[in-house]
Amino acid sequence: MTWLITGGAGYIGAHVVRAMTGAGEKVVVLDDLSTGIPDRLPADVPLVRGSAADRALLDRVLSEHAVTGVVHLAAKKQVGESVEKPLLYYRENVSGLAVLLEAVVAAGVQRFVFSSSAAVYGVPDAELITEETPCAPINPYGETKLAGEWLARAAGKAHSLSTGCLRYFNVAGAAEPELSDTGVFNVIPMFFDRLTRDEAPRIFGDDYPTPDGTCIRDYIHVADLADAHLAVARRLSEQGGPADLTVNIGRGEGVSVRELADLVGEITGHRIKPETEPRRPGDAARAVASATRMSEELGWTARRGVREMVESAWEGWCLRHPQALGA
């Protein structure tokens, strides 16, 4: 088998490439390099530069590399930007996906793994979020991910395409410093950025109905997330007939923002007391995954804890921001 990984030079994509090639899977990467970094990829993995919405390019890549499965990671993924630019997000994440699926069906590819998000759930009132928890996204990003799931499943049913939709919770950490996240959009790098500039980390809201008043989230190490992609890809390959999987990817354990800030301070040595700012619209008090389906049906369980996520993320941050060590 050969797997095409769209967005494979990105933060998550590069980890998925390493997991799959490390397990003996043959891989080719398609990435427009808008956020991807070619040096993240092993030297023997082919990289095709271009858009996953370019039908002519897709037809060529799928044919030339005899692709038999696709892992689709390429997408726009910033919540705030999606609110400002909903047309861009629907074009890239939904219309672009339709083009990719048309090429997949035309090429006779039979396996499709889709990168979804816990954002499809919106702000559920649930102790643990299961795959049956109603989906009610509250921003265009979450809407496009839910629409992407619908589209992938509909194409699967119509064209005997096995599909797997992975709903990520909060991704953090790095398998190697060189593979770390370069963006400052998630809470851990946001803390690092403030500390590097000798500024207090910010906590948005401390009056939630939680033990310490701050939001509780489920964090997943990116290397565990990559292993989950491998597990789903292999299940689709082993399935006798068309499969339709939808799974949460999390640890099933909640960590509060204040607990996370304390851990970041301990690991980095920058013990600056966080500042509390007003709540952000749409933040749920608690969002923790039920990871039972992945464990029971695919035998996958997250192995890495939050401390390892923060430690590995800090190593990657310091690689790109050496001034952080002396801040």
Side-chain angles (χ1 to χ4, degrees), residues 70-136:
V70 172
V71 179
H72 182 45
L73 303 170
K76 295 291 184 184
K77 63 175 186 176
Q78 302 307 325
V79 170
E81 183 184 52
S82 78
V83 175
E84 297 170 1
K85 302 176 180 179
L87 296 176
L88 170 65
Y89 271 65
Y90 272 86
R91 182 174 69 246
E92 294 285 329
N93 293 1
V94 181
S95 299
L97 173 60
V99 174
L100 173 59
L101 285 167
E102 287 172 351
V104 162
V105 169
V109 175
Q110 296 183 324
R111 300 159 190 89
F112 192 86
V113 180
F114 177 65
S115 166
S116 189
S117 168
V120 301
Y121 295 115
V123 189
D125 182 14
E127 184 71 13
L128 287 178
I129 299 171
T130 73
E131 290 83 356
E132 283 72 39
T133 297
C135 292

Side-chain angles (χ1 to χ4, degrees), residues 5-20 31 35-37 40-41 71-74 77 115-117 141 145 166 168-175 179-182 186 220-227 229 249:
I5 302 182
T6 69
Y11 165 54
I12 293 174
H15 282 88
V16 173
V17 168
R18 295 293 180 104
M20 295 189 72
D31 199 305
T35 58
I37 302 172
R40 283 177 169 151
L41 299 174
V71 179
H72 182 45
L73 303 170
K77 63 175 186 176
S115 166
S116 189
S117 168
Y141 168 68
K145 284 300 182 180
L166 282 68
Y168 310 168
F169 279 67
N170 297 270
V171 185
L179 300 183
S180 62
D181 192 359
T182 58
N186 299 319
I220 179 75
H221 197 294
V222 66
D224 282 330
L225 176 64
D227 291 339
H229 282 79
I249 308 298

Side-chain angles (χ1 to χ4, degrees), residues 58-77:
L58 289 169
D59 290 342
R60 178 171 64 81
V61 172
L62 293 172
S63 174
E64 289 183 358
H65 293 273
V67 170
T68 50
V70 172
V71 179
H72 182 45
L73 303 170
K76 295 291 184 184
K77 63 175 186 176

Side-chain angles (χ1 to χ4, degrees), residues 12-277:
I12 293 174
H15 282 88
V16 173
V17 168
R18 295 293 180 104
M20 295 189 72
T21 56
E25 301 289 343
K26 190 175 179 182
V27 162
V28 56
V29 168
L30 174 63
D31 199 305
D32 65 6
L33 302 183
S34 56
T35 58
I37 302 172
D39 289 347
R40 283 177 169 151
L41 299 174
D44 58 347
V45 171
L47 168 62
V48 179
R49 182 170 183 174
S51 170
D54 182 337
R55 178 59 191 274
L57 177 61
L58 289 169
D59 290 342
R60 178 171 64 81
V61 172
L62 293 172
S63 174
E64 289 183 358
H65 293 273
V67 170
T68 50
V70 172
V71 179
H72 182 45
L73 303 170
K76 295 291 184 184
K77 63 175 186 176
Q78 302 307 325
V79 170
E81 183 184 52
S82 78
V83 175
E84 297 170 1
K85 302 176 180 179
L87 296 176
L88 170 65
Y89 271 65
Y90 272 86
R91 182 174 69 246
E92 294 285 329
N93 293 1
V94 181
S95 299
L97 173 60
V99 174
L100 173 59
L101 285 167
E102 287 172 351
V104 162
V105 169
V109 175
Q110 296 183 324
R111 300 159 190 89
F112 192 86
V113 180
F114 177 65
S115 166
S116 189
S117 168
V120 301
Y121 295 115
V123 189
D125 182 14
E127 184 71 13
L128 287 178
I129 299 171
T130 73
E131 290 83 356
E132 283 72 39
T133 297
C135 292
I138 61 170
N139 52 64
Y141 168 68
E143 293 167 2
T144 64
K145 284 300 182 180
L146 184 56
E149 288 189 15
W150 292 339
L151 183 54
R153 291 192 201 102
K157 291 176 182 177
H159 301 284
S160 299
L161 175 68
S162 289
T163 60
C165 298
L166 282 68
R167 293 173 174 170
Y168 310 168
F169 279 67
N170 297 270
V171 185
E176 300 174 14
E178 296 78 10
L179 300 183
S180 62
D181 192 359
T182 58
V184 188
F185 302 108
N186 299 319
V187 63
I188 292 176
M190 287 172 67
F191 282 168
F192 292 165
D193 181 56
R194 299 279 293 186
L195 293 172
T196 299
R197 291 187 279 119
D198 202 29
E199 297 176 358
R202 293 183 295 180
I203 291 177
F204 295 96
D206 63 356
D207 57 349
Y208 287 92
T210 62
D212 65 16
T214 66
C215 294
I216 293 175
R217 295 291 181 267
D218 191 336
Y219 297 91
I220 179 75
H221 197 294
V222 66
D224 282 330
L225 176 64
D227 291 339
H229 282 79
L230 174 63
V232 171
R234 288 194 158 169
R235 171 56 60 88
L236 298 187
S237 301
E238 296 163 358
Q239 202 81 8
D244 175 9
L245 296 173
T246 299
V247 288
N248 288 336
I249 308 298
R251 295 171 59 246
E253 298 179 15
V255 178
S256 78
V257 175
R258 190 171 298 282
E259 289 173 331
L260 185 65
D262 290 344
L263 181 60
V264 167
E266 175 192 335
I267 288 170
T268 65
H270 299 282
R271 297 180 182 274
I272 303 176
K273 184 179 179 180
E275 294 177 350
T276 301
E277 299 196 6

